[in-house]
Amino acid sequence: MKKSKVFWGYAIIALVLYAVVQTLISFGMVNTHYQNMLITMCINVMLAVSLHLVIGVTGQFSIGHAGFLAVGAYISAICTMKLGMPFSMAILAGAVVAMLAGLLVGIPSLRLRGDYLAIATLGFAEIIRIVFLNIDYVGGAAGMQVTHQSTWTYAFVGTAITILIISNFTNSRHGRACIAIREDEIAADAMGINTTYYKVAAFAVGSFFAGVAGAIYAHNFYIIQPTAFGFLKSFDILILVVLGGLGSLSGAVLAAIFLTFVSTYLQAFPETRMIIYSLVLILVMLYRPTGLLGTKEITDLFKFRKKGGTKV
Amino acid sequence: MSTLLKVDSLGIQFGGLKAVQNVNMYMENGELIGLIGPNGAGKTTTFNMLTGVYAPTEGTITFAGKQIQGLDPYKVTRGGISRTFQNIRLFKELSVLDNVKVANHSLANHNILSSIFRLPKHFSGEAKMEEESLAFLKIFGLDVYKDELSKNLPYGMQRRLEIARALAAGPKLLLLDEPAAGMNPQETKELMDLIAFIRKEFDLTILLIEHDMNLVMGICERIYVLDHGQLIAEGTPAEIRSNPKVIEAYLGEEVAD
Ligand SMILES: Nc1ncnc2c1ncn2[C@@H]1O[C@H](COP(=O)(O)OP(=O)(O)OP(=O)(O)O)[C@@H](O)[C@H]1O
Ligand SMILES: [Mg+2]
């Protein structure tokens, strides 16, 4: 009962947020620059939340998320530009292929741990990028022309679905299995959890939504180029998760929103942007090594009184 | 009675070190057996082989008629063997209730799709897990702590939670690795009563590693003694107490200490 009330609460907030922005856009009160920022914000939230599932929830230090972003971007662009499919179908296709890529990468590499996994995923992401770089069908290094089809509606709905599904996954026996793996893989295994299965599942779901983000990204900028999906992009996404607090979905969302603002305002000074990014990271590591929210969710902040009451 | 577990010439080698060799043991359904031995004798290593954490380099383990040596731990657990850890391995950032739910995981059957789309099966499945897990917490007097993070529990309660969690995996054979370590006599006594209770209640067969000789002698039907990776004695508490090899192994340890 209570839980479904909370759900409807969020649903109403989301709907109002969407409607307000959409109304402002329809009345021409949000110029293209800010529309772009809003869509980029949604893309970053999707990327952050999907990587949060892999790193924050399941504890698998994968740092090649840009690879799956690239798969979603290129596959969806092929679908709309070469095959003439509708945008919504193209998003789904991009996501599904990104998920398959996630399975392909995840099945061999998730047997590795810690640093080795990080290096393997980073390597795979580079391979994916270099494959696109060398396929003339998608324009090679020059990139691929893509029509602008991403709108606030697509971006917002994609983000809402990403958050809803990943939060539903996390708050179920499947999510608990993933958290158990993060906490103590040997104990999780000994309690009957098929650890490989859940690591791969989390990775696949994370890749799927990185693919959705990729599709919306590709159709927002008129052109996609392999250089946009290098390891710096993977690093950008990683920062969102670390800054938000490993293990906190709302932390990842807040960090994505915050850093989109920061980088939009610093767009004119790309060097400064990297310096500020690095400074932010260093400061977080020094003063808040668990990230902004740690493993807490923003909703926990409102629960203090209740918790005090049940303590024995 | 029928044989639940049979171990034949089990052994494992780490590099050049033969940590355990030529161990033969059996357990009848419903027995409570002790496994004792000085520090470094190979008791925990034996548990690790029984539960699939280590693949033995020699010998076989037959459980409920099937050979299980070298199987993945989660498969062994689903087959009916679960364990506690000597150095507590709770899921620290999960609540007490969620720790038990994780072990209850493989007894539920709502799939990933039902959970991400919140289908009716998800809700009924989760409700059942909640109910069953709470029942296990109640048995161990842990229900009052259900929403606490497990890392915040007092030490003795963490040991209890380890057992509650192992029980929630639905074992036929329960392996307890020094469950009373670090507890005071009062806590130890309560724990042993609890173990006797769950043994009856859940029809368990139990293999218990414990350092406290008096305790083991008091509750176990039979005892195996390991020293330097080899079984040096087996028998009833009375037989073990008067076995010269056992006395020597333990005296040796005291001198070494
Ligand atoms: N993974 C491993 N690699 C190498 N040696 C190991 C490994 N695991 C255990 N050993 C060795 O095997 C021997 C037996 O260790 P084990 O932990 O089984 O002893 P124990 O009987 O449980 O002792 P204690 O009473 O101290 O818990 C020790 O010499 C230990 O160092
Ligand atoms: Mg031991």
Side-chain angles (χ1 to χ4, degrees):
Chain A
M1 275 305 278
K2 268 223 177 98
K3 272 188 186 151
S4 72
K5 253 187 206 156
V6 173
F7 168 77
W8 289 113
Y10 283 124
I12 289 167
I13 293 173
L15 218 63
V16 169
L17 184 68
Y18 165 75
V20 168
V21 175
Q22 183 57 36
T23 314
L24 290 176
I25 291 173
S26 336
F27 283 102
M29 287 159 79
V30 185
N31 66 27
T32 13
H33 176 71
Y34 284 105
Q35 280 186 38
N36 258 331
M37 186 181 81
L38 287 170
I39 293 175
T40 304
M41 198 175 274
C42 289
I43 292 169
N44 284 339
V45 170
M46 284 186 265
L47 288 172
V49 171
S50 56
L51 187 61
H52 147 84
L53 176 63
V54 177
I55 298 186
V57 175
T58 319
Q60 303 304 303
F61 205 66
S62 157
I63 54 173
H65 216 48
F68 306 113
L69 177 72
V71 173
Y74 273 98
I75 297 297
S76 67
I78 291 170
C79 288
T80 54
M81 304 310 295
K82 311 261 183 189
L83 309 178
M85 280 163 60
F87 186 34
S88 52
M89 282 292 115
I91 296 176
L92 191 64
V96 168
V97 178
M99 181 172 84
L100 294 177
L103 289 173
L104 206 70
V105 173
I107 288 170
S109 56
L110 287 167
R111 295 173 193 285
L112 304 171
R113 286 186 193 171
D115 307 347
Y116 299 104
L117 175 64
I119 292 166
T121 48
L122 193 64
F124 271 116
E126 278 300 284
I127 291 173
I128 289 172
R129 187 179 68 82
I130 289 165
V131 166
F132 286 123
L133 182 67
N134 287 289
I135 297 180
D136 289 334
Y137 182 67
V138 294
M144 184 175 176
Q145 305 280 333
V146 188
T147 53
H148 178 89
Q149 300 190 40
S150 294
T151 59
W152 163 248
T153 303
Y154 276 114
F156 187 87
V157 171
T159 307
I161 292 177
T162 305
I163 293 177
L164 182 67
I165 287 190
I166 288 184
S167 126
N168 281 352
F169 179 90
T170 308
N171 296 303
S172 73
R173 74 178 177 114
H174 311 289
R176 276 193 302 273
C178 291
I179 298 174
I181 293 170
R182 175 192 80 196
E183 291 295 305
D184 190 325
E185 194 168 339
I186 291 178
D189 205 347
M191 291 307 129
I193 306 290
N194 184 343
T195 54
T196 310
Y197 174 83
Y198 275 107
K199 284 195 270 185
V200 171
F203 204 72
V205 174
S207 306
F208 181 92
F209 288 106
V212 175
I216 290 171
Y217 174 88
H219 294 78
N220 195 33
F221 290 111
Y222 302 98
I223 186 163
I224 47 172
Q225 288 172 309
T227 44
F229 307 104
F231 73 86
L232 276 180
K233 185 68 198 174
S234 289
F235 184 63
D236 275 353
I237 306 168
L238 180 63
I239 290 178
L240 302 177
V241 178
V242 174
L243 182 66
L246 292 172
S248 167
L249 189 147
S250 38
V253 172
L254 288 181
I257 293 173
F258 171 67
L259 282 187
T260 310
F261 273 120
V262 173
S263 67
T264 307
Y265 288 109
L266 293 176
Q267 224 156 31
F269 323 96
E271 299 86 2
T272 327
R273 178 174 161 268
M274 274 331 278
I275 293 174
I276 293 199
Y277 258 47
S278 312
L279 274 181
V280 167
L281 257 198
I282 292 170
L283 288 176
V284 169
M285 286 306 147
L286 281 178
Y287 293 104
R288 237 171 119 104
T290 51
L292 293 179
L293 294 189
T295 54
K296 290 206 167 56
E297 295 298 341
I298 201 157
T299 44
D300 296 343
L301 302 177
F302 306 113
K303 281 192 199 151
F304 278 132
R305 218 182 304 140
K306 213 178 117 203
K307 228 186 166 181
T310 53
K311 234 178 206 157
V312 191
Chain B
M1 275 213 228
S2 62
T3 306
L4 182 63
L5 178 79
K6 195 161 183 318
V7 172
D8 288 301
S9 47
L10 192 68
I12 188 166
Q13 199 164 342
F14 297 110
L17 173 79
K18 284 193 169 168
V20 172
Q21 50 183 317
N22 198 28
V23 165
N24 297 292
M25 29 195 301
Y26 69 91
M27 293 183 73
E28 304 286 350
N29 263 311
E31 276 190 307
L32 171 51
I33 306 277
L35 179 60
I36 64 173
N39 286 109
K43 305 180 294 293
T44 299
T45 305
T46 303
F47 267 27
N48 283 339
M49 288 189 283
L50 291 177
T51 53
V53 176
Y54 294 154
T57 45
E58 55 188 80
T60 57
I61 303 166
T62 314
F63 177 73
K66 287 196 201 90
Q67 294 215 349
I68 59 159
Q69 69 276 5
L71 229 56
D72 282 338
Y74 78 92
K75 287 183 184 153
V76 174
T77 305
R78 289 178 187 192
I81 302 181
S82 82
R83 69 176 292 177
T84 65
F85 292 92
Q86 180 177 359
N87 38 0
I88 301 173
R89 298 190 88 121
L90 293 171
F91 307 118
K92 294 196 183 76
E93 297 284 339
L94 277 178
S95 73
V96 168
L97 180 61
D98 281 352
N99 264 272
V100 176
K101 279 187 184 172
V102 168
N104 192 245
H105 173 94
S106 45
L107 305 179
N109 58 13
H110 51 290
N111 60 23
I112 293 185
L113 286 184
S114 79
S115 283
I116 61 179
F117 296 119
R118 287 295 190 256
L119 304 180
K121 252 196 134 177
H122 162 84
F123 291 105
S124 58
E126 292 286 327
K128 185 164 161 275
M129 290 179 86
E130 171 111 7
E131 189 189 319
E132 289 175 3
S133 303
L134 270 175
F136 285 117
L137 288 184
K138 276 220 179 75
I139 293 174
F140 287 83
L142 288 163
D143 46 329
V144 289
Y145 298 108
K146 73 183 171 74
D147 296 321
E148 294 285 331
L149 292 187
S150 68
K151 67 174 180 187
N152 295 334
L153 280 187
Y155 179 82
M157 290 295 163
Q158 294 196 10
R159 285 244 172 254
R160 280 174 172 239
L161 180 54
E162 274 257 343
I163 305 177
R165 187 178 68 168
L167 202 54
K172 291 204 268 290
L173 172 62
L174 182 61
L175 309 180
L176 301 174
D177 198 344
E178 303 198 23
M183 287 188 173
N184 65 36
Q186 174 62 26
E187 287 174 320
T188 306
K189 166 88 179 62
E190 284 171 16
L191 185 71
M192 291 305 145
D193 291 345
L194 206 51
I195 290 173
F197 172 76
I198 58 169
R199 178 187 176 197
K200 275 230 181 72
E201 186 75 15
F202 297 96
D203 257 334
L204 292 174
T205 307
I206 298 179
L207 182 58
L208 172 72
I209 296 180
E210 184 49 65
H211 264 295
D212 184 337
M213 280 285 237
N214 288 327
L215 198 155
V216 176
M217 300 284 174
I219 64 168
C220 294
E221 277 110 57
R222 282 190 300 124
I223 294 171
Y224 287 96
V225 188
L226 270 176
D227 188 25
H228 295 296
Q230 292 182 309
L231 278 183
I232 56 168
E234 62 173 287
T236 61
E239 288 164 355
I240 295 297
R241 210 187 294 271
S242 57
N243 186 310
K245 277 193 196 161
V246 177
I247 296 170
E248 193 190 333
Y250 273 86
L251 278 182
E253 193 196 26
E254 264 159 41
V255 173
D257 284 350

